[in-house]
């Protein structure tokens, strides 16, 4: 599928969720809400350091059919999960060890009720096509879809930035992942055909066009990500330690010069972590400018350097991700860019590929990846779509 038929994809998800709702609840849904997943073009592990990221919302997401209830009960049917139904009341929300997916609903609603205690319950049917645990933010798209659903059901005054912060609170305080704000914010506020440079300190953002005739080419390495949350949280702690050493609130405030001059006093591993974050912030800004100037070569170089930094300094890539990047780079050269994307430790790589080269890139992935790594790749051809609250 080199042509991306977005309209058809949307209609299919809506029809499916509507049908499932009728089967489950014996009536039609009151509304349907959708929130996209995301791919990060550049700027990884910078968001929780108050830095810069450059993601785009994509044409894979979570869709929810819903109707309001008069009581405080939430009934959820999750079509894509093994244990499909969860039921709880808003008056008594507790973590569910056995049904992880339900914690995203619970955590999000618990956080939402801090500012909107007036909400009542709902009947919900959820389906999605963001591959789970692949670094494309299936969980953020779930949280934002829940928030969009409740905003509409109960006519809440909820803007995209507040929604993103609520989604992040759900992850940080309920699910237990100390993630930054990038995933929720782009899912809420992404702009069609654009990536977004987000300043994760001020939460101000600027849209940057994806160059015409380029495709967001994503490959899932299909490496199962193990112990992701603990490894992620550890990286975050290491960054915070270095910020503390410099007496600042976040690595955003440290320059490469300052870091280098303190090299002897900093643990070598911590030093590398900080070097990644500081240099990655600079690359995100360079890429924003390059996107605006349609300077593909600059983008290509920045993406390549970003991958190397995530591989060698931040140490969150895998040999499979490195392999995918190397094989795609061998075809693209400076005509496009390629790097790992998201949290790492498995999951996806992203490439910005001239649409005329998509088949060539597909061929190299299909002919080499499985042979060299014993895993079959999943390829997603994406376009940048609109966020749920934009
Ligand atoms: C995960 C987190 C984000 C961000 C990325 C890495 O996706 O949820 O907040 O930190 O990893 O850039």
């Amino acid at each position: 599928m080199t042509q991306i038929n977005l309209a058809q994809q949307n209609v299919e998800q809506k029809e499916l969720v509507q049908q499932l709702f009728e089967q489950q609840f014996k009536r039609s849904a009151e509304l349907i809400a959708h929130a996209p997943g995301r791919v990060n073009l550049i700027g990884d592990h910078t968001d929780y350091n108050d830095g810069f990221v450059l993601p785009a919302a994509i044409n894979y997401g979570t869709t929810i059919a819903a109707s309001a209830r008069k009581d405080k009960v939430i009934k959820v049917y999750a079509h894509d999960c093994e244990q499909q139904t969860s039921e709880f009341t808003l008056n008594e929300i507790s973590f569910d060890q056995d049904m992880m997916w339900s914690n995203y609903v619970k955590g999000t609603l618990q956080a939402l009720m801090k500012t909107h205690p007036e909400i009542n319950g709902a009947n919900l049917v959820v389906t999605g096509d963001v591959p789970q645990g692949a670094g494309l933010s299936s969980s953020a798209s779930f949280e934002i879809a829940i928030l969009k659903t409740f905003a509409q059901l109960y006519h809440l005054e909820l803007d995209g930035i507040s929604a993103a912060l609520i989604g992040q609170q759900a992850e940080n305080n309920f699910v237990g992942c100390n993630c930054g704000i990038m995933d929720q914010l782009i899912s809420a506020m992404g702009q069609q055909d654009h990536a977004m440079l987000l300043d994760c300190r001020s939460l101000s953002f600027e849209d940057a066009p994806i160059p015409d005739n380029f495709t967001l080419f994503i490959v899932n390495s299909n490496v199962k990500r193990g112990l992701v949350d603990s490894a992620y949280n550890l990286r975050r702690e290491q960054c915070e330690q270095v910020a503390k050493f410099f007496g600042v609130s976040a690595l955003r405030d440290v320059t490469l010069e300052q870091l280098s001059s303190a090299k002897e006093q900093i643990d070598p591993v911590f030093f590398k972590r900080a070097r990644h974050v500081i240099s990655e912030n600079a690359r995100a800004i360079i890429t924003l400018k390059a996107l605006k100037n349609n300077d593909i070569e600059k983008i290509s170089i920045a993406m390549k350097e970003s991958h190397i930094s995530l591989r060698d300094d931040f140490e969150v890539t895998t040999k499979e991700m490195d392999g995918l990047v190397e094989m795609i780079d061998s075809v693209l050269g400076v005509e496009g860019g390629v790097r790992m994307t998201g949290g790492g430790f498995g999951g996806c790589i992203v490439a910005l590929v001239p649409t005329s080269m998509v088949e060539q890139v597909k061929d190299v992935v299909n002919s080499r990846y499985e042979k060299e790594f014993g895993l079959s790749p999943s390829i997603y051809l994406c376009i940048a779509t609109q966020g749920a609250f934009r």
Side-chain angles (χ1 to χ4, degrees), residues 77-97:
Y77 172 81
H79 183 58
D80 315 301
C81 299
E82 224 164 77
Q83 280 177 284
Q84 293 178 313
T85 22
S86 168
E87 183 172 336
F88 60 94
T89 149
L90 290 172
N91 298 325
E92 214 183 290
I93 294 184
S94 58
F95 192 84
D96 190 335
Q97 293 289 353

Side-chain angles (χ1 to χ4, degrees), residues 38 43-45 47-48 179-183 232 342-343:
R38 67 100 187 91
D44 270 314
H45 291 275
D47 61 351
Y48 53 81
C179 67
I181 191 67
M182 164 169 71
D183 306 347
Y232 180 93

Side-chain angles (χ1 to χ4, degrees), residues 303-321:
M303 288 177 80
K304 187 178 249 179
E305 287 176 358
S306 167
H307 184 82
I308 293 170
S309 178
L310 285 154
R311 183 190 69 197
D312 299 344
D313 276 357
F314 220 66
E315 296 179 282
V316 292
T317 69
T318 63
K319 62 178 190 318
E320 293 83 358
M321 299 170 98

Side-chain angles (χ1 to χ4, degrees), residues 38 40 42-48 53 135-137 139-140 168 171 177-184 225 232 236 276 280 310 314 339-344:
R38 67 100 187 91
N40 190 19
I42 199 160
D44 270 314
H45 291 275
T46 46
D47 61 351
Y48 53 81
V53 293
L136 299 180
S137 295
S139 50
Q168 186 195 20
E171 295 265 0
C177 177
N178 280 329
C179 67
I181 191 67
M182 164 169 71
D183 306 347
Q184 290 79 9
R225 305 193 306 166
Y232 180 93
R236 183 171 182 157
H276 163 71
E280 185 80 349
L310 285 154
F314 220 66
R339 60 185 282 282
M340 68 146 265
T341 187

Side-chain angles (χ1 to χ4, degrees), residues 107-116 140 143-148 151 156-171 173 180-181 183-189 198 202-205 388-390:
T108 303
L109 293 178
Q110 190 180 63
L112 176 64
M113 281 191 298
K114 286 192 190 146
T115 46
H116 296 88
E143 291 145 17
I144 297 298
I146 291 281
L147 290 166
K148 181 72 184 178
L156 308 179
E157 270 187 36
L158 187 67
D159 61 48
I161 294 186
S162 309
L165 289 165
I166 291 172
Q168 186 195 20
Q169 266 181 49
E171 295 265 0
N173 305 337
I181 191 67
D183 306 347
Q184 290 79 9
L185 211 131
I186 187 68
S187 177
M189 295 303 287
L198 168 65
S202 66
L203 301 187
S204 61
F205 53 82
F389 283 82
R390 190 82 182 246

